[in-house]
Amino acid sequence: MIKLWIYILYILLMVTTQLNQNLVHGQSVTNYNVGIGIADITGIVAGVNMMGYAMPGQIASGLHIRQRSRAFIIIDPDTGKRVVFVSADLAMGSLAVRRATLEKLKESFGDLYNDENVAISGTHTHAGPAGYLQYALYQITSFGYFKENTEAISTGIYNSIVKAHNSIQPASIFVSTGELLNTNINRSPFSYEQNPEEERSQYKYNVDKEMILLKFTNAKGDVIGSINWFPVHPVSMMNNNTLVSGDNKGTASYFLEREYNNSTLPGEETIIHAFANSNLGDSSPNIFGPYCADTGLPCEYRTSTCNGKKETCFGRGYGYLTGDDIYATRKIAELHVAKAKELIDTAKTPITGSIDYKFTKVNIQNYNFTLNGKTVSLCKAALGYSMIAGTTDGPGGFNFIQGDNSTGNPFWKLITRIIKQPTKETIECQRPKPIVLATGEMRSPYDFTPSIIEIQLLKIGNFIICVVPGEFTTMSGRRLTKTVKNILMKKGVIDENGIVIVSGPSNSYTHYITTPEEYLVQRYEGGSTIYGPNTLNAYLQLYTDLSIALADNLYVPIGPEAPDFTDKALNFVLPVIVDIPPLFKKFGDVTKDANKKYIRGETVAVEFVGGHPKNHIQLEGSFLYVQRLENNNNWVNFKNDGDITTKFKWLGNSIVRITWEIDDDVEAGTYRIFYQGHHKQLGGKIVPEFGITSNFLVS
């Protein structure tokens, strides 16, 4: 009998040991149910303004790579609670997009996916089509609101969530962190230095350089996806770029997904890797710092000017010697990918614990809270001179400069009075910001900026995501995560090894959130902190309340609903009236054919007669295919317009150009370029078109 018990104990010990080993190595123990999906969200790729730099002349003219939505559904098998985290190649969250997405989800799934448990986080690319935000301010440089873009983006996000839902399986989640260098710098160090030295001394750098990664594995221990967060502006593609792209974050996802899905075309991946953003407000990829283009000397430290002017002060990134945005984008992406691969390989610490979430909507302009024993309120939204000045990543227009907290230029004070004179209350509340646009008081033709915001917490075991509707600066993000972590640790929700991150800009967009100290010097980020100097403190209180509600399982009211302006939103961009081919040509004709032969490293450049890309959004499609001849009679799609080596460009006058850079690893053989598009006939009918080049050899 004793021998039998010893034998049973031995078996139990062996089983327990194996389970522990499996847990450590991510082989078979599963704690959650996880679904992951990817979908195309690329809107109009030509003839519309691009979102991010607010440059009216930056009009899209083609495609670098497609923009994607990457959705992750994580379910607690014990309670059935689930959260959805979406990382989308967008400049920011959009209330119009979020509402449209949730409406589609409700039609398909009822209340399973809703306001409270779905987070849509933008990577903050500055290389996407604009016109998908409902507030008037963001429509000025895009010349209106584009329902087509909102529909394309919301449909794509919905599709990614549906794919994730349909792929739900038992899974494990592991976390890993590591320092990523040579990828970001603080573009407003003067502002950062206004924070207390005692606080700054707690950190190694003046910008966060830690990548935080979640790895998802299936029951076999195979990697099925990952999400990482690292704060840097996706502005590797500068404000003169006109190709739609996911910029450095989207390109990083592209590269890593190619490695894990090398037998598929872009967009067909099943192993998904999202490169999400965090407290990026003052974080730039132009790591060599700002220099004067005319003298080569460093820009003036406080104002980022050169001889008093900002127009020649630019941050230098990896492409500054050649002026090659795509190289700079690729370099930052490759650094992201190298670190992500390292963290995927070393991610052994399991995420354990329950799934939960808290969400609410707040009228931020009427929000009152206690600060240092006094009741304070936020300001009606307003933009300062420094916001118009732009940054070293992309200087703005007119004669504004960063760091201007003077009483104001007489000319611009006059312009402000003509547009909308801010009330004395707003002027006093926003001080020392010199106000150029009192957007919180501007209601015609509809609200210029949001007054109702959305805040959200997602809990994935001991991993907490602060889903934020704006661009937190480095120190603002640090204060937020520290506040939330301290509360949840005291409440026993997480331990000291728990991780709290910022993810944004998400769900909607409220510009920047600086610390009060940074606000006082009114560089770009301070001028863009629209609700005044106490904005961060208000967010700290709001997330404190959400954290307590999460810990104590308290009911949180959804809060007031923001108005919907999309039905009356204006659009001043002329539609395509009719497409007319060149004389003696028809749509689909090749006007510049391929050469008969190429070698690896060369570029194929061909042109077709094509209709305007605005005629039809090719969602989950492609304007082009590089096709390869196999078995002497079968043409196979080898590359599409989501591939990093292809480019699609609208030249105007019913001509499109397609290029393909032939990689060194391309097999020798026979190839051709296939084009497809749509043109508009007189009367408005949209008609498909296609064309094919002559065959050519690659050797």
Side-chain angles (χ1 to χ4, degrees):
M1 188 68 177
I2 293 175
K3 289 184 178 179
L4 177 62
W5 278 109
I6 291 174
Y7 179 73
I8 292 172
L9 288 172
Y10 172 75
I11 295 297
L12 288 172
L13 179 62
M14 292 298 293
V15 170
T16 302
T17 301
Q18 185 62 47
L19 285 172
N20 287 336
Q21 289 176 349
N22 289 345
L23 182 61
V24 170
H25 296 290
Q27 293 173 350
S28 64
V29 175
T30 57
N31 301 324
Y32 303 99
N33 293 325
V34 172
I36 305 176
I38 186 172
D40 182 14
I41 59 170
T42 311
I44 301 169
V45 302
V48 298
N49 185 255
M50 303 183 82
M51 188 66 200
Y53 288 109
M55 301 287 286
Q58 191 186 14
I59 306 299
S61 68
L63 192 58
H64 171 230
I65 57 172
R66 285 193 170 260
Q67 298 182 302
R68 310 282 182 191
S69 170
R70 296 167 174 88
F72 299 78
I73 300 174
I74 305 160
I75 305 170
D76 187 332
D78 295 328
T79 65
K81 272 197 170 184
R82 64 186 64 202
V83 295
V84 182
F85 179 83
V86 174
S87 178
D89 292 330
L90 295 173
M92 64 279 290
S94 156
L95 183 58
V97 167
R98 179 169 167 80
R99 279 177 169 160
T101 303
L102 291 172
E103 287 172 6
K104 292 176 173 66
L105 289 170
K106 187 173 182 64
E107 290 177 7
S108 298
F109 301 104
D111 294 328
L112 188 62
Y113 302 111
N114 54 64
D115 257 335
E116 298 178 77
N117 66 358
V118 174
I120 302 173
S121 191
T123 60
H124 203 45
T125 174
H126 284 42
Y132 56 89
L133 282 82
Q134 72 158 4
Y135 293 99
L137 176 69
Y138 316 117
Q139 298 168 13
I140 292 174
T141 54
S142 65
F143 304 107
Y145 174 76
F146 292 85
K147 291 183 179 180
E148 302 92 333
N149 282 342
T150 299
E151 181 61 22
I153 295 165
S154 61
T155 298
I157 294 173
Y158 164 80
N159 288 340
S160 69
I161 295 172
V162 170
K163 289 180 181 179
H165 179 88
N166 292 336
S167 71
I168 291 171
Q169 60 182 305
S172 294
I173 310 175
F174 301 87
V175 66
S176 186
T177 66
E179 198 173 77
L180 173 55
L181 301 178
N182 304 315
T183 308
N184 66 345
I185 64 166
N186 194 308
R187 70 184 184 190
S188 282
F190 181 82
S191 295
Y192 179 87
E193 289 163 6
Q194 307 311 304
N195 295 305
E197 184 189 2
E198 180 183 358
E199 182 180 35
R200 288 184 281 121
S201 66
Q202 299 172 33
Y203 303 97
K204 186 176 179 181
Y205 302 107
N206 65 0
V207 66
D208 286 337
K209 294 183 181 290
E210 184 177 54
M211 177 181 281
I212 301 172
L213 181 139
L214 293 181
K215 176 177 74 174
F216 301 89
T217 61
N218 61 18
K220 296 179 180 179
D222 298 327
V223 174
I224 58 174
S226 71
I227 317 170
N228 68 71
W229 288 264
F230 180 81
V232 65
H233 260 77
V235 291
S236 295
M237 303 190 86
M238 303 294 282
N239 61 11
N240 59 354
N241 164 64
T242 61
L243 296 181
V244 170
S245 174
D247 206 284
N248 50 46
K249 293 284 186 178
T251 302
S253 286
Y254 167 86
F255 281 137
L256 194 52
E257 287 165 355
R258 290 293 83 214
E259 289 195 32
Y260 277 84
N261 305 269
N262 58 14
S263 62
T264 65
L265 290 174
E268 298 175 354
E269 299 88 351
T270 57
I271 303 173
I272 313 303
H273 299 283
F275 287 74
N277 231 318
S278 189
N279 51 325
L280 77 166
D282 48 5
S283 179
S284 168
N286 295 312
I287 65 162
F288 303 112
Y291 284 82
C292 299
D294 49 354
T295 66
L297 298 173
C299 302
E300 198 278 326
Y301 191 62
R302 173 171 180 158
T303 61
S304 298
T305 55
C306 302
N307 295 318
K309 296 182 179 181
K310 65 176 182 303
E311 287 77 11
T312 57
C313 176
F314 285 92
R316 289 181 177 178
Y318 284 104
Y320 85 92
L321 287 176
T322 61
D324 188 344
D325 288 2
I326 292 176
Y327 171 77
T329 300
R330 186 177 190 126
K331 180 65 176 177
I332 294 292
E334 288 171 345
L335 289 165
H336 273 74
V337 169
K339 180 56 64 173
K341 288 169 65 176
E342 175 192 318
L343 296 182
I344 289 171
D345 290 342
T346 59
K348 308 295 184 186
T349 304
I351 295 290
T352 59
S354 62
I355 299 295
D356 208 347
Y357 49 84
K358 290 296 176 184
F359 171 89
T360 192
K361 302 173 184 179
V362 180
N363 189 330
I364 196 74
Q365 294 188 141
N366 293 333
Y367 181 64
N368 299 315
F369 62 103
T370 301
L371 180 65
N372 299 325
K374 296 181 180 179
T375 299
V376 297
S377 60
L378 295 187
C379 313
K380 285 186 168 58
L383 292 168
Y385 285 11
S386 295
M387 184 272 175
I388 308 298
T391 73
T392 54
D393 292 331
F398 306 108
N399 60 339
F400 297 104
I401 62 171
Q402 293 195 70
D404 186 353
N405 57 4
S406 64
T407 56
N409 178 296
F411 173 76
W412 287 108
K413 288 176 76 172
L414 175 62
I415 296 298
T416 299
R417 289 195 193 100
I418 293 171
I419 298 172
K420 176 65 177 77
Q421 172 66 28
T423 62
K424 291 181 179 179
E425 179 187 19
T426 298
I427 292 171
E428 188 60 35
C429 184
Q430 292 275 354
R431 203 175 294 279
K433 178 193 292 178
I435 296 171
V436 67
L437 287 174
T439 58
E441 299 173 2
M442 297 168 71
R443 306 280 181 174
S444 179
Y446 35 86
D447 291 5
F448 267 60
T449 45
S451 56
I452 294 173
I453 67 165
E454 300 184 346
I455 62 168
Q456 190 176 33
L457 283 177
L458 303 183
K459 177 182 182 294
I460 305 169
N462 53 343
F463 192 91
I464 308 297
I465 304 174
C466 300
V467 183
V468 299
E471 301 179 55
F472 278 63
T473 59
T474 298
M475 195 61 85
S476 290
R478 289 169 175 172
R479 290 185 191 177
L480 177 60
T481 55
K482 188 174 183 179
T483 296
V484 171
K485 185 171 184 176
N486 285 341
I487 293 167
L488 295 181
M489 282 180 60
K490 288 178 182 177
K491 293 281 188 177
V493 176
I494 59 175
D495 60 22
E496 62 183 9
N497 295 317
I499 294 176
V500 180
I501 63 159
V502 167
S503 188
S506 304
N507 292 340
S508 55
Y509 187 63
T510 61
H511 285 263
Y512 281 71
I513 299 93
T514 63
T515 67
E517 295 88 349
E518 293 165 348
Y519 183 91
L520 289 176
V521 294
Q522 281 296 296
R523 280 179 56 85
Y524 175 83
E525 295 80 14
S528 304
T529 298
I530 61 176
Y531 302 118
N534 287 317
T535 300
L536 174 61
N537 290 322
Y539 276 104
L540 295 181
Q541 184 60 56
L542 288 166
Y543 279 93
T544 293
D545 295 343
L546 270 196
S547 299
I548 293 170
L550 181 72
D552 295 343
N553 195 27
L554 301 176
Y555 168 73
V556 178
I558 291 295
E561 192 68 34
D564 186 348
F565 301 120
T566 56
D567 285 341
K568 63 178 182 179
L570 303 174
N571 186 310
F572 298 99
V573 176
L574 294 176
V576 176
I577 305 300
V578 63
D579 289 299
I580 302 174
L583 197 61
F584 307 121
K585 296 289 184 181
K586 64 181 185 299
F587 288 102
D589 282 354
V590 178
T591 59
K592 180 183 179 182
D593 208 351
N595 299 334
K596 292 182 179 181
K597 190 175 182 179
Y598 296 88
I599 62 173
R600 296 185 186 100
E602 291 185 327
T603 298
V604 182
V606 297
E607 295 177 6
F608 295 86
V609 179
H612 201 295
K614 284 171 67 176
N615 291 327
H616 180 77
I617 293 177
Q618 301 264 19
L619 205 62
E620 299 293 357
S622 179
F623 289 103
L624 66 94
Y625 290 99
V626 178
Q627 297 181 324
R628 182 172 60 203
L629 184 63
E630 295 187 356
N631 302 322
N632 294 320
N633 61 1
N634 185 30
W635 288 100
V636 175
N637 291 335
F638 175 60
K639 303 279 187 183
N640 62 15
D641 67 10
D643 194 280
I644 202 79
T645 63
T646 66
K647 304 289 181 295
F648 171 80
K649 192 169 179 64
W650 167 249
L651 301 181
N653 298 317
S654 297
I655 299 293
V656 300
R657 175 182 295 155
I658 293 169
T659 60
W660 173 39
E661 300 168 9
I662 306 173
D663 278 340
D664 291 339
D665 58 355
V666 170
E667 294 180 9
T670 301
Y671 294 83
R672 69 184 187 184
I673 306 293
F674 175 90
Y675 159 73
Q676 61 183 3
H678 292 76
H679 60 273
K680 181 181 280 190
Q681 297 178 336
L682 277 173
K685 185 178 181 181
I686 305 295
V687 180
E689 68 209 16
F690 71 91
I692 303 173
T693 65
S694 301
N695 301 349
F696 55 89
L697 294 175
V698 173
S699 62

